[in-house]
Amino acid sequence: MAEKEKVTIYDISKKLNISAATVSRALNNNPKISLKTRKLVMKTAAKMNYKQNKLAQALKSGKTHNVGVIVPYINRNFFSSVIRGIEEELSPHGYHVIICQSHEDVNNEINQINTLLNTQVDGIFMSVAKTTQKTDHIEKVLSENTPLVFFDRKKDVAGLSSVTIDDFRGGYLATEHLIKQGCKKIAHFSGDLNLEIYKNRYEGYIAAMKDYGIEAIKEFSLQVNSKLESGASAVRDLWNHRIKPDAIFSASDYAALGAIQELKKMGVKIPDEVCVVGFSNEPFTKYMELPITSVDQTPVDMGRNAAKVFLEQIQGSKTLTIEKKVVLAPELYIRDSSNRETIEKPLVSKE
Amino acid sequence: MAEKEKVTIYDISKKLNISAATVSRALNNNPKISLKTRKLVMKTAAKMNYKQNKLAQALKSGKTHNVGVIVPYINRNFFSSVIRGIEEELSPHGYHVIICQSHEDVNNEINQINTLLNTQVDGIFMSVAKTTQKTDHIEKVLSENTPLVFFDRKKDVAGLSSVTIDDFRGGYLATEHLIKQGCKKIAHFSGDLNLEIYKNRYEGYIAAMKDYGIEAIKEFSLQVNSKLESGASAVRDLWNHRIKPDAIFSASDYAALGAIQELKKMGVKIPDEVCVVGFSNEPFTKYMELPITSVDQTPVDMGRNAAKVFLEQIQGSKTLTIEKKVVLAPELYIRDSSNRETIEKPLVSKE
DNA sequence: TACTTTAGTGCAATCGATTACAAAAATTAT
DNA sequence: ATAATTTTTGTAATCGATTGCACTAAAGTA
């Protein structure tokens, strides 16, 4: 239980009878210090078990080597995967990742940003809350010269970079796939259209319908929460009408699953009568007995890319703000919930 | 785009023609400063948009208000949920949570601990890697007087607190439940017995069998990875013998699912012929068409409790090391994969 | 009035590392 | 050998906030 005696450069300097400045330079491999002393200092430092005090260094340099990540909830598969990507890309560069949750509330978001700025993070990554409308708090980050990189859910703020997937394309791919399965009356469960991502998925859906000359019935587009029950109730609503959909493209896997469960309860055959496609490629989609087709957002990759953008950003001249928009390609994982061609074949769920 | 002018207490002191010391005291509501000056300083600080420099403060006080969390992978539902709990409990107290991944490798774990100690975190939370045997790096944390709290996967190190679930009881409950379903030949898929958690689940299984006077056949206990394919292959192995199990208690939900898929492929009826119970209550277990019975580990609660232990720890006198072991009660979620009583009844999956 | 308290502030050191600038030591040139 | 360089090292300020100690002025006491 040796009491911890923090060793500082002063301790080293005293022991060697040289100045702390020399020690500091030697440890930083400053060529102005003779090789002899440099080696001596290094050796002594190691022997004394010297550990640099990052705090002092951070105070002096203004760089903490900490970055903050703000997400709605950390235990959502998508977000924790992005964070994983960020951590894995940044960790080798000596950065630590601080996580914050907004709980989908702008006010929390504002607070988190403030405390992060207070602790002098070198950068911030974030996916905005659903309730975020104004961007004052975000612009504030910019004005403090702290790089901010959006991922997935972004806001249009001049000078800020972002990494997203091509949600439009994701929506398009999903819809096109359904069309190719022979579906004509395709319903769409959209999310909160206040968020760009959902708007884009919706527009991708509309575009695909148009491109293939299929009418997108207005009543078939519903705003549905990302919950099983919401999906189920949406199905109930839809099936109350005279014209019933023969496919559902849900912008949420959860709503898609709820829909599937409800349809089964109603005795509707999937994918024979109705094809269903979700979005996000949540882990459960591939585990189901009837695996669910879904659009993958490559979250880990998204995190890695966001980290890369950040690294570029801090490398460049600090006066010049670069605005970089990285758009990743979504991938459609076709599974049984929409794959009519597997009906006669043995069931094989992809991935 | 006003260039960011960092306001310090010196700026305030200059403006008011008082010393920085007075400003500092006033801002900290030190009663030695007259109410008049205190209010004046506060007002001026607010007006000048002063923000305390946490780095300077941290350097002076030695407290960063940062804690580190080390987990194998952050995007596993269990771990991200624990982290959520930690974050939510600690955030109101002004702490930030830094996340690190060990990738199930001790060497990473050692590095992470070192960098965390270097950045002077006020505490460390961790779930050890599977490969962790020696505990030198952990004892080092102790010797630096940094509180460390284990959660879920702990090591026995004198003086260190931990928060876990009662895995023995979890194993017991699961097994007991299977016995009550009328199962007699219960197989067990255990995880890496090097980890306490798996050993305890196994022992809970053994104890339940013993208590109910049922023989635990040695060949029915297999070490199985936490992967679908491992569960499937384990089933194939088991069903190659003359005596076949009538139930499986898997220490992993993934292996349980793999087993279920394999059994279905073999035409074995679940739960009629074989009951299956998993462990962890992964989100997918309740979404399946045949929802899987599983033992819930209350991860968010575990995180919250770990955070509480930490808070107590730093409150207490620093010389006295308290060793607190919090053991949470696991909860068995009975679902269709093991619930024979629901066979004639309408399917209702709990939770 | 003279003297002790007490309240309110300021001075200066401190936390540990970095870095202009100055100074000393070692080399080279003349 | 001495001046001119070049190397190497030291001094002291700095990053911002905190705090023990000292000091001033006002209030209280005798």
Side-chain angles (χ1 to χ4, degrees):
Chain A
M1 307 292 165
E3 256 307 305
K4 201 62 213 175
E5 5 53 50
K6 292 267 161 120
V7 181
T8 73
I9 51 172
Y10 295 97
D11 299 323
I12 301 179
S13 79
K14 251 172 247 159
K15 178 160 232 165
L16 295 179
N17 252 315
I18 55 180
S19 77
T22 303
V23 175
S24 169
R25 293 197 181 96
L27 290 172
N28 288 312
N29 245 306
N30 185 322
K32 296 204 140 191
I33 301 296
S34 71
L35 198 73
K36 202 173 60 179
T37 17
R38 247 188 294 166
K39 290 214 163 169
L40 177 65
V41 171
M42 301 279 211
K43 209 167 291 177
T44 319
K47 207 173 298 169
M48 295 176 74
N49 192 31
Y50 167 77
K51 287 284 147 46
Q52 193 188 45
N53 184 321
K54 298 278 182 185
L55 275 182
Q57 191 182 243
L59 175 59
K60 191 81 225 300
S61 69
K63 301 273 158 254
T64 54
H65 276 79
N66 283 156
V67 298
V69 181
I70 305 175
V71 294
Y73 294 99
I74 199 219
N75 65 337
R76 293 232 194 108
N77 181 263
F78 172 75
F79 292 122
S80 62
S81 297
V82 174
I83 294 175
R84 172 170 173 175
I86 294 175
E87 198 275 339
E88 291 177 357
E89 190 71 31
L90 249 34
S91 165
H93 291 266
Y95 284 92
H96 277 147
V97 177
I98 292 173
I99 49 134
C100 301
Q101 304 184 89
S102 69
H103 293 112
E104 298 285 14
D105 181 343
V106 217
N107 298 312
N108 288 326
E109 204 170 274
I110 295 173
N111 286 335
Q112 311 285 17
I113 284 188
N114 284 332
T115 67
L116 284 178
L117 288 177
N118 258 222
T119 54
Q120 328 259 93
V121 289
D122 292 350
I124 294 179
F125 296 85
M126 92 167 190
S127 232
V128 301
K130 282 185 187 158
T131 54
T132 302
Q133 297 273 13
K134 295 171 74 182
T135 55
D136 309 28
H137 57 303
I138 297 170
E139 277 150 32
K140 181 178 174 190
V141 179
L142 237 188
S143 81
E144 300 227 351
N145 281 320
T146 303
L148 188 153
V149 181
F150 286 115
F151 59 89
D152 199 48
R153 300 189 192 168
K154 65 188 175 69
K155 284 283 168 187
D156 271 322
V157 176
L160 291 190
S161 299
S162 64
V163 179
T164 52
I165 61 157
D166 189 339
D167 284 286
F168 177 92
R169 186 165 164 67
Y172 193 100
L173 282 176
T175 310
E176 185 179 41
H177 161 70
L178 289 170
I179 294 171
K180 287 189 172 162
Q181 297 297 309
C183 305
K184 306 251 177 234
K185 295 171 292 176
I186 305 174
H188 175 51
F189 291 179
S190 130
D192 189 335
L193 290 177
N194 175 37
L195 288 179
E196 272 191 31
I197 52 171
Y198 291 119
K199 210 171 58 189
N200 292 338
R201 291 173 198 176
Y202 168 70
E203 282 167 2
Y205 154 75
I206 293 295
M209 296 292 271
K210 197 169 185 180
D211 284 0
Y212 284 85
I214 302 178
E215 184 199 7
I217 304 172
K218 235 178 220 136
E219 288 72 32
F220 278 8
S221 281
L222 283 80
Q223 187 152 326
V224 175
N225 285 336
S226 191
K227 290 178 186 162
L228 297 216
E229 178 43 31
S230 306
S233 106
V235 160
R236 265 178 258 124
D237 289 352
L238 283 174
W239 261 255
N240 265 342
H241 293 66
R242 53 247 151 312
I243 311 172
K244 294 168 179 54
D246 58 5
I248 297 173
F249 160 42
S250 168
S252 145
D253 279 333
Y254 291 96
L257 174 56
I260 289 175
Q261 292 182 344
E262 190 67 18
L263 288 170
K264 280 190 183 163
K265 224 179 270 175
M266 291 163 43
V268 176
K269 292 259 177 297
I270 303 171
D272 313 41
E273 299 171 53
V274 175
C275 288
V276 179
V277 174
F279 208 108
S280 286
N281 200 20
E282 287 284 342
F284 70 79
T285 54
K286 65 166 169 290
Y287 294 144
M288 310 304 292
E289 253 181 65
L290 175 76
I292 304 174
T293 297
S294 193
V295 179
D296 190 75
Q297 303 174 279
T298 64
V300 177
D301 208 39
M302 188 179 284
R304 295 203 110 96
N305 274 283
K308 278 179 190 158
V309 169
F310 162 74
L311 290 173
E312 285 171 22
Q313 209 108 126
I314 56 170
Q315 229 101 66
S317 63
K318 53 263 354 233
T319 45
L320 197 142
T321 345
I322 339 140
E323 185 179 320
K324 191 164 181 180
K325 308 281 184 192
V326 176
V327 179
L328 305 173
E331 270 182 77
L332 181 68
Y333 282 82
I334 299 174
R335 304 199 181 95
D336 299 349
S337 72
S338 71
N339 198 0
R340 288 181 170 166
E341 317 183 21
T342 64
I343 295 172
E344 302 86 358
K345 302 176 197 163
L347 294 185
V348 177
S349 78
K350 210 172 153 188
E351 137 97 335
Chain B
M1 307 287 167
E3 257 306 307
K4 202 62 214 177
E5 4 54 47
K6 290 268 159 120
V7 181
T8 73
I9 51 172
Y10 294 97
D11 299 322
I12 299 178
S13 78
K14 251 173 249 157
K15 177 158 231 168
L16 296 179
N17 253 314
I18 55 180
S19 77
T22 302
V23 174
S24 169
R25 293 196 180 97
L27 291 172
N28 288 312
N29 246 307
N30 186 321
K32 294 203 140 193
I33 300 298
S34 71
L35 199 74
K36 202 173 59 178
T37 16
R38 249 188 293 167
K39 291 214 162 166
L40 178 64
V41 170
M42 301 280 211
K43 209 167 292 178
T44 320
K47 208 173 297 170
M48 295 177 74
N49 194 30
Y50 166 78
K51 287 285 147 48
Q52 193 187 44
N53 185 322
K54 298 277 182 186
L55 276 181
Q57 190 181 244
L59 174 60
K60 190 82 225 295
S61 68
K63 301 274 159 252
T64 54
H65 277 78
N66 283 157
V67 298
V69 181
I70 305 175
V71 294
Y73 295 98
I74 198 219
N75 64 337
R76 292 230 196 111
N77 180 262
F78 173 75
F79 292 122
S80 62
S81 297
V82 175
I83 294 175
R84 170 171 175 174
I86 294 176
E87 198 274 339
E88 291 178 356
E89 190 71 32
L90 249 33
S91 165
H93 291 265
Y95 285 92
H96 277 146
V97 177
I98 292 173
I99 48 133
C100 301
Q101 304 184 90
S102 68
H103 294 114
E104 297 286 13
D105 181 343
V106 216
N107 298 312
N108 288 326
E109 202 170 275
I110 295 173
N111 286 335
Q112 311 285 17
I113 284 187
N114 284 332
T115 67
L116 284 179
L117 288 177
N118 257 223
T119 55
Q120 329 257 91
V121 289
D122 293 350
I124 294 180
F125 296 86
M126 93 169 188
S127 233
V128 302
K130 281 184 185 158
T131 54
T132 302
Q133 297 273 13
K134 295 169 74 181
T135 55
D136 309 30
H137 56 302
I138 297 170
E139 277 152 29
K140 182 178 173 191
V141 178
L142 237 189
S143 81
E144 299 227 351
N145 280 320
T146 303
L148 188 153
V149 180
F150 286 115
F151 60 88
D152 199 48
R153 301 188 192 169
K154 66 189 175 72
K155 284 280 168 190
D156 271 321
V157 176
L160 290 190
S161 300
S162 64
V163 179
T164 53
I165 61 156
D166 190 338
D167 285 285
F168 176 91
R169 186 163 165 69
Y172 192 98
L173 281 176
T175 311
E176 186 179 42
H177 161 69
L178 288 170
I179 294 170
K180 288 190 174 164
Q181 297 296 308
C183 305
K184 305 247 178 244
K185 295 171 292 177
I186 304 174
H188 176 51
F189 292 177
S190 131
D192 189 335
L193 290 177
N194 174 37
L195 289 178
E196 272 190 29
I197 51 171
Y198 292 119
K199 211 171 59 192
N200 291 340
R201 291 173 198 176
Y202 169 71
E203 282 168 2
Y205 154 76
I206 294 295
M209 296 292 270
K210 196 168 187 183
D211 284 1
Y212 284 85
I214 302 178
E215 184 198 6
I217 304 171
K218 236 179 220 137
E219 288 72 32
F220 277 8
S221 281
L222 284 80
Q223 188 154 325
V224 175
N225 284 336
S226 191
K227 291 178 186 165
L228 297 214
E229 177 44 30
S230 307
S233 106
V235 160
R236 265 177 257 124
D237 289 354
L238 281 175
W239 260 257
N240 265 341
H241 292 68
R242 53 242 149 317
I243 310 173
K244 293 166 181 51
D246 58 6
I248 298 173
F249 160 43
S250 168
S252 146
D253 279 331
Y254 291 96
L257 174 55
I260 289 176
Q261 292 181 344
E262 189 68 18
L263 288 171
K264 281 191 183 164
K265 223 180 271 177
M266 293 164 42
V268 176
K269 292 259 179 297
I270 304 172
D272 312 41
E273 298 172 53
V274 176
C275 288
V276 180
V277 173
F279 209 107
S280 286
N281 199 20
E282 288 284 342
F284 71 79
T285 54
K286 66 165 167 290
Y287 294 144
M288 311 303 294
E289 251 181 67
L290 177 76
I292 305 174
T293 297
S294 192
V295 180
D296 189 77
Q297 301 173 280
T298 63
V300 176
D301 208 39
M302 189 181 283
R304 294 204 110 98
N305 274 282
K308 277 180 192 158
V309 170
F310 162 74
L311 290 173
E312 284 171 22
Q313 208 109 123
I314 57 170
Q315 228 102 65
S317 61
K318 53 259 1 229
T319 45
L320 196 142
T321 345
I322 338 139
E323 185 178 322
K324 190 161 182 182
K325 308 279 186 195
V326 177
V327 180
L328 304 174
E331 269 182 77
L332 181 68
Y333 282 83
I334 299 174
R335 304 199 181 94
D336 299 348
S337 72
S338 72
N339 198 1
R340 288 182 170 164
E341 320 186 18
T342 64
I343 296 172
E344 302 87 359
K345 300 175 197 165
L347 294 185
V348 177
S349 79
K350 211 173 151 187
E351 139 92 340

